[in-house]
Amino acid sequence: MSDSNGEAPAPKGGVLSVLKRLDDGLSVVERQLLGWSIVIMAVNTVANVIMRLGFSSSIFFSEELNQFLIILVTFVGISEAARMGRHIRMSAFTDMLGPQASKIMMIIITLGTAALLFLLAWYSIGYVSSLIQSNRLTPALRIPYYLTVLIVPFGLTVTGIQFVLAAVTNIVRPGTHLSYRVEDTFSEADDHHL
């Protein structure tokens, strides 16, 4: 059962309660990172345009900073999207199935997605390790290049964990859940109002 926002009720006690509190804390950090990254990108871009138009000279690190922030927003954002059940999904097929078949498909999809994300995280750790060994520096800021992509394995891993939690939630709770927090509220009654 979900509340009026589609969110599943909070778990009562035990390990799930501790995990929820940890995830709530991580969500706050992720939202702050996302918000501030977007603000910094906007300020950086506007300042760079003003510098180019007013002084015929760009800020030397502007493009590099925005590239780093785009990576950060992407790989922190996918975790937050998965947590809130806002990831892209193709639901036309599962919407035609009955509730039980739809739930089974959701479990298969979330576990498959988690496995793919963990595999990508593994490969990204290898990539980051190769960057550490190469001692490459970014061209403008001259910081180690691996620091700019260090968020990638973290974001992929945390997102994989979100999909595992969604699968477990679908296994232990009634209804079909998009994430461990959000229950899928689609029903045949909603279909008639379209």
Short mmCIF file of all heavy atoms in Angstrom, two decimals, residues 82-119:
data_model
loop_
_atom_site.label_atom_id
_atom_site.label_comp_id
_atom_site.label_asym_id
_atom_site.label_seq_id
_atom_site.Cartn_x
_atom_site.Cartn_y
_atom_site.Cartn_z
N ALA A 82 16.45 6.54 -9.87
CA ALA A 82 16.07 5.16 -9.54
C ALA A 82 15.39 5.10 -8.17
O ALA A 82 14.41 4.38 -7.98
CB ALA A 82 17.29 4.25 -9.56
N ARG A 83 15.90 5.86 -7.21
CA ARG A 83 15.32 5.88 -5.86
C ARG A 83 13.87 6.36 -5.88
O ARG A 83 13.03 5.85 -5.16
CB ARG A 83 16.16 6.81 -4.97
CG ARG A 83 15.61 6.97 -3.57
CD ARG A 83 16.45 7.92 -2.72
NE ARG A 83 17.76 7.35 -2.46
CZ ARG A 83 18.89 7.79 -3.02
NH1 ARG A 83 18.86 8.81 -3.85
NH2 ARG A 83 20.04 7.22 -2.75
N MET A 84 13.59 7.34 -6.73
CA MET A 84 12.25 7.93 -6.77
C MET A 84 11.36 7.29 -7.84
O MET A 84 10.26 7.77 -8.09
CB MET A 84 12.36 9.44 -7.01
CG MET A 84 13.15 10.18 -5.92
SD MET A 84 12.67 9.77 -4.23
CE MET A 84 11.02 10.40 -4.18
N GLY A 85 11.84 6.23 -8.50
CA GLY A 85 11.05 5.55 -9.52
C GLY A 85 10.81 6.39 -10.75
O GLY A 85 9.81 6.23 -11.44
N ARG A 86 11.75 7.29 -11.07
CA ARG A 86 11.57 8.20 -12.20
C ARG A 86 12.49 7.87 -13.37
O ARG A 86 12.71 8.69 -14.24
CB ARG A 86 11.83 9.64 -11.75
CG ARG A 86 10.77 10.09 -10.79
CD ARG A 86 10.93 11.52 -10.43
NE ARG A 86 9.84 11.90 -9.54
CZ ARG A 86 9.82 12.98 -8.84
NH1 ARG A 86 10.84 13.81 -8.91
NH2 ARG A 86 8.81 13.26 -8.06
N HIS A 87 13.02 6.68 -13.39
CA HIS A 87 13.88 6.27 -14.49
C HIS A 87 13.02 5.97 -15.72
O HIS A 87 11.82 5.71 -15.62
CB HIS A 87 14.71 5.05 -14.09
CG HIS A 87 13.91 4.01 -13.39
ND1 HIS A 87 13.11 3.12 -14.05
CD2 HIS A 87 13.75 3.75 -12.07
CE1 HIS A 87 12.50 2.34 -13.19
NE2 HIS A 87 12.86 2.70 -11.97
N ILE A 88 13.65 6.00 -16.86
CA ILE A 88 12.94 5.71 -18.11
C ILE A 88 12.56 4.24 -18.12
O ILE A 88 13.38 3.38 -17.80
CB ILE A 88 13.82 6.05 -19.32
CG1 ILE A 88 14.09 7.54 -19.36
CG2 ILE A 88 13.16 5.58 -20.61
CD1 ILE A 88 15.11 7.95 -20.40
N ARG A 89 11.34 3.95 -18.49
CA ARG A 89 10.94 2.55 -18.60
C ARG A 89 9.92 2.42 -19.71
O ARG A 89 9.18 3.35 -20.01
CB ARG A 89 10.38 2.03 -17.27
CG ARG A 89 9.16 2.73 -16.78
CD ARG A 89 8.81 2.33 -15.35
NE ARG A 89 7.58 2.97 -14.98
CZ ARG A 89 6.42 2.35 -14.90
NH1 ARG A 89 6.32 1.07 -15.16
NH2 ARG A 89 5.34 3.01 -14.57
N MET A 90 9.94 1.27 -20.33
CA MET A 90 8.99 0.96 -21.39
C MET A 90 7.89 0.11 -20.76
O MET A 90 8.07 -1.09 -20.57
CB MET A 90 9.67 0.19 -22.52
CG MET A 90 10.86 0.89 -23.08
SD MET A 90 10.35 2.45 -23.81
CE MET A 90 11.92 3.08 -24.32
N SER A 91 6.78 0.73 -20.42
CA SER A 91 5.76 0.04 -19.65
C SER A 91 4.58 -0.45 -20.47
O SER A 91 3.66 -1.06 -19.93
CB SER A 91 5.26 0.94 -18.52
OG SER A 91 4.68 2.10 -19.08
N ALA A 92 4.58 -0.23 -21.78
CA ALA A 92 3.42 -0.62 -22.60
C ALA A 92 3.15 -2.12 -22.48
O ALA A 92 2.01 -2.53 -22.34
CB ALA A 92 3.64 -0.22 -24.05
N PHE A 93 4.21 -2.93 -22.52
CA PHE A 93 4.03 -4.38 -22.44
C PHE A 93 3.57 -4.81 -21.05
O PHE A 93 2.62 -5.56 -20.91
CB PHE A 93 5.34 -5.09 -22.82
CG PHE A 93 5.25 -6.58 -22.73
CD1 PHE A 93 4.50 -7.31 -23.63
CD2 PHE A 93 5.92 -7.27 -21.72
CE1 PHE A 93 4.40 -8.69 -23.54
CE2 PHE A 93 5.83 -8.65 -21.62
CZ PHE A 93 5.07 -9.36 -22.54
N THR A 94 4.25 -4.31 -20.01
CA THR A 94 3.89 -4.73 -18.65
C THR A 94 2.53 -4.21 -18.23
O THR A 94 1.85 -4.84 -17.43
CB THR A 94 4.94 -4.28 -17.62
OG1 THR A 94 5.11 -2.87 -17.71
CG2 THR A 94 6.27 -4.98 -17.85
N ASP A 95 2.09 -3.07 -18.80
CA ASP A 95 0.77 -2.55 -18.47
C ASP A 95 -0.34 -3.44 -19.01
O ASP A 95 -1.45 -3.45 -18.48
CB ASP A 95 0.59 -1.13 -19.01
CG ASP A 95 1.40 -0.10 -18.23
OD1 ASP A 95 1.90 -0.46 -17.15
OD2 ASP A 95 1.54 1.03 -18.73
N MET A 96 -0.06 -4.21 -20.06
CA MET A 96 -1.07 -5.12 -20.63
C MET A 96 -1.19 -6.41 -19.82
O MET A 96 -2.17 -7.13 -19.94
CB MET A 96 -0.71 -5.47 -22.08
CG MET A 96 -0.84 -4.30 -23.02
SD MET A 96 -0.61 -4.76 -24.75
CE MET A 96 1.06 -5.39 -24.76
N LEU A 97 -0.18 -6.71 -19.01
CA LEU A 97 -0.19 -7.93 -18.22
C LEU A 97 -1.06 -7.75 -16.98
O LEU A 97 -1.34 -6.63 -16.56
CB LEU A 97 1.24 -8.29 -17.79
CG LEU A 97 2.26 -8.48 -18.91
CD1 LEU A 97 3.65 -8.67 -18.32
CD2 LEU A 97 1.88 -9.66 -19.78
N GLY A 98 -1.42 -8.84 -16.39
CA GLY A 98 -2.15 -8.77 -15.13
C GLY A 98 -1.22 -8.34 -14.01
O GLY A 98 0.00 -8.26 -14.18
N PRO A 99 -1.76 -8.07 -12.82
CA PRO A 99 -0.95 -7.59 -11.71
C PRO A 99 0.18 -8.55 -11.32
O PRO A 99 1.30 -8.12 -11.07
CB PRO A 99 -1.94 -7.42 -10.57
CG PRO A 99 -3.28 -7.43 -11.18
CD PRO A 99 -3.18 -8.12 -12.49
N GLN A 100 -0.09 -9.84 -11.29
CA GLN A 100 0.93 -10.80 -10.87
C GLN A 100 2.05 -10.91 -11.91
O GLN A 100 3.23 -10.90 -11.57
CB GLN A 100 0.29 -12.19 -10.63
CG GLN A 100 1.22 -13.18 -9.96
CD GLN A 100 1.63 -12.75 -8.56
OE1 GLN A 100 0.93 -12.01 -7.89
NE2 GLN A 100 2.79 -13.19 -8.13
N ALA A 101 1.69 -10.98 -13.19
CA ALA A 101 2.70 -11.06 -14.26
C ALA A 101 3.50 -9.76 -14.33
O ALA A 101 4.72 -9.79 -14.54
CB ALA A 101 2.02 -11.36 -15.59
N SER A 102 2.83 -8.63 -14.12
CA SER A 102 3.52 -7.34 -14.12
C SER A 102 4.54 -7.28 -12.98
O SER A 102 5.66 -6.78 -13.16
CB SER A 102 2.50 -6.22 -13.98
OG SER A 102 3.14 -4.97 -13.97
N LYS A 103 4.17 -7.80 -11.84
CA LYS A 103 5.07 -7.82 -10.68
C LYS A 103 6.29 -8.70 -10.97
O LYS A 103 7.42 -8.32 -10.68
CB LYS A 103 4.32 -8.32 -9.45
CG LYS A 103 5.13 -8.30 -8.18
CD LYS A 103 4.24 -8.80 -7.04
CE LYS A 103 4.93 -8.67 -5.73
NZ LYS A 103 4.82 -7.36 -5.14
N ILE A 104 6.07 -9.88 -11.56
CA ILE A 104 7.17 -10.78 -11.90
C ILE A 104 8.11 -10.12 -12.92
O ILE A 104 9.33 -10.18 -12.79
CB ILE A 104 6.63 -12.13 -12.42
CG1 ILE A 104 5.95 -12.88 -11.27
CG2 ILE A 104 7.73 -12.97 -13.06
CD1 ILE A 104 5.13 -14.07 -11.71
N MET A 105 7.51 -9.47 -13.92
CA MET A 105 8.33 -8.76 -14.92
C MET A 105 9.15 -7.65 -14.25
O MET A 105 10.31 -7.46 -14.58
CB MET A 105 7.45 -8.16 -16.02
CG MET A 105 6.96 -9.17 -17.03
SD MET A 105 8.31 -9.97 -17.94
CE MET A 105 9.03 -8.59 -18.78
N MET A 106 8.55 -6.93 -13.31
CA MET A 106 9.27 -5.85 -12.62
C MET A 106 10.45 -6.41 -11.84
O MET A 106 11.53 -5.81 -11.81
CB MET A 106 8.33 -5.08 -11.70
CG MET A 106 8.97 -3.85 -11.09
SD MET A 106 9.53 -2.63 -12.30
CE MET A 106 7.99 -1.92 -12.80
N ILE A 107 10.28 -7.57 -11.20
CA ILE A 107 11.38 -8.20 -10.47
C ILE A 107 12.51 -8.58 -11.43
O ILE A 107 13.69 -8.30 -11.17
CB ILE A 107 10.88 -9.43 -9.68
CG1 ILE A 107 9.94 -8.98 -8.55
CG2 ILE A 107 12.05 -10.24 -9.12
CD1 ILE A 107 9.15 -10.10 -7.91
N ILE A 108 12.15 -9.19 -12.56
CA ILE A 108 13.16 -9.58 -13.55
C ILE A 108 13.87 -8.36 -14.11
O ILE A 108 15.10 -8.33 -14.22
CB ILE A 108 12.50 -10.41 -14.68
CG1 ILE A 108 12.02 -11.76 -14.14
CG2 ILE A 108 13.45 -10.60 -15.85
CD1 ILE A 108 11.10 -12.51 -15.08
N ILE A 109 13.11 -7.32 -14.44
CA ILE A 109 13.69 -6.10 -15.01
C ILE A 109 14.63 -5.42 -14.02
O ILE A 109 15.74 -5.01 -14.37
CB ILE A 109 12.57 -5.14 -15.48
CG1 ILE A 109 11.87 -5.73 -16.70
CG2 ILE A 109 13.12 -3.75 -15.77
CD1 ILE A 109 10.56 -5.03 -17.05
N THR A 110 14.19 -5.29 -12.77
CA THR A 110 15.03 -4.58 -11.79
C THR A 110 16.30 -5.38 -11.47
O THR A 110 17.37 -4.79 -11.34
CB THR A 110 14.25 -4.26 -10.50
OG1 THR A 110 13.65 -5.45 -10.00
CG2 THR A 110 13.19 -3.20 -10.74
N LEU A 111 16.19 -6.70 -11.38
CA LEU A 111 17.40 -7.51 -11.13
C LEU A 111 18.34 -7.49 -12.33
O LEU A 111 19.57 -7.41 -12.18
CB LEU A 111 17.02 -8.94 -10.76
CG LEU A 111 16.41 -9.12 -9.37
CD1 LEU A 111 15.97 -10.56 -9.17
CD2 LEU A 111 17.38 -8.69 -8.27
N GLY A 112 17.77 -7.53 -13.54
CA GLY A 112 18.60 -7.45 -14.75
C GLY A 112 19.30 -6.11 -14.86
O GLY A 112 20.49 -6.03 -15.21
N THR A 113 18.57 -5.05 -14.56
CA THR A 113 19.15 -3.70 -14.61
C THR A 113 20.26 -3.56 -13.57
O THR A 113 21.32 -3.01 -13.84
CB THR A 113 18.07 -2.63 -14.39
OG1 THR A 113 17.05 -2.80 -15.38
CG2 THR A 113 18.64 -1.23 -14.48
N ALA A 114 20.01 -4.09 -12.36
CA ALA A 114 21.03 -4.04 -11.30
C ALA A 114 22.29 -4.79 -11.73
O ALA A 114 23.40 -4.29 -11.54
CB ALA A 114 20.47 -4.62 -10.01
N ALA A 115 22.12 -5.97 -12.32
CA ALA A 115 23.28 -6.75 -12.76
C ALA A 115 24.08 -5.99 -13.81
O ALA A 115 25.32 -5.94 -13.75
CB ALA A 115 22.83 -8.10 -13.32
N LEU A 116 23.39 -5.36 -14.76
CA LEU A 116 24.07 -4.57 -15.79
C LEU A 116 24.81 -3.38 -15.16
O LEU A 116 25.96 -3.09 -15.52
CB LEU A 116 23.07 -4.08 -16.83
CG LEU A 116 23.64 -3.21 -17.95
CD1 LEU A 116 24.67 -3.97 -18.77
CD2 LEU A 116 22.52 -2.69 -18.84
N LEU A 117 24.18 -2.70 -14.23
CA LEU A 117 24.82 -1.56 -13.57
C LEU A 117 26.06 -1.98 -12.78
O LEU A 117 27.08 -1.29 -12.79
CB LEU A 117 23.83 -0.84 -12.67
CG LEU A 117 22.76 -0.03 -13.42
CD1 LEU A 117 21.62 0.33 -12.50
CD2 LEU A 117 23.38 1.21 -14.03
N PHE A 118 25.98 -3.13 -12.08
CA PHE A 118 27.15 -3.62 -11.34
C PHE A 118 28.28 -4.00 -12.29
O PHE A 118 29.46 -3.75 -12.01
CB PHE A 118 26.78 -4.80 -10.44
CG PHE A 118 25.90 -4.42 -9.28
CD1 PHE A 118 24.84 -5.23 -8.91
CD2 PHE A 118 26.12 -3.26 -8.56
CE1 PHE A 118 24.03 -4.90 -7.83
CE2 PHE A 118 25.31 -2.90 -7.49
CZ PHE A 118 24.26 -3.72 -7.12
N LEU A 119 27.93 -4.57 -13.44
CA LEU A 119 28.95 -4.90 -14.44
C LEU A 119 29.62 -3.63 -14.97
O LEU A 119 30.85 -3.56 -15.07
CB LEU A 119 28.32 -5.70 -15.59
CG LEU A 119 29.26 -6.11 -16.72
CD1 LEU A 119 30.32 -7.09 -16.21
CD2 LEU A 119 28.47 -6.72 -17.88
#
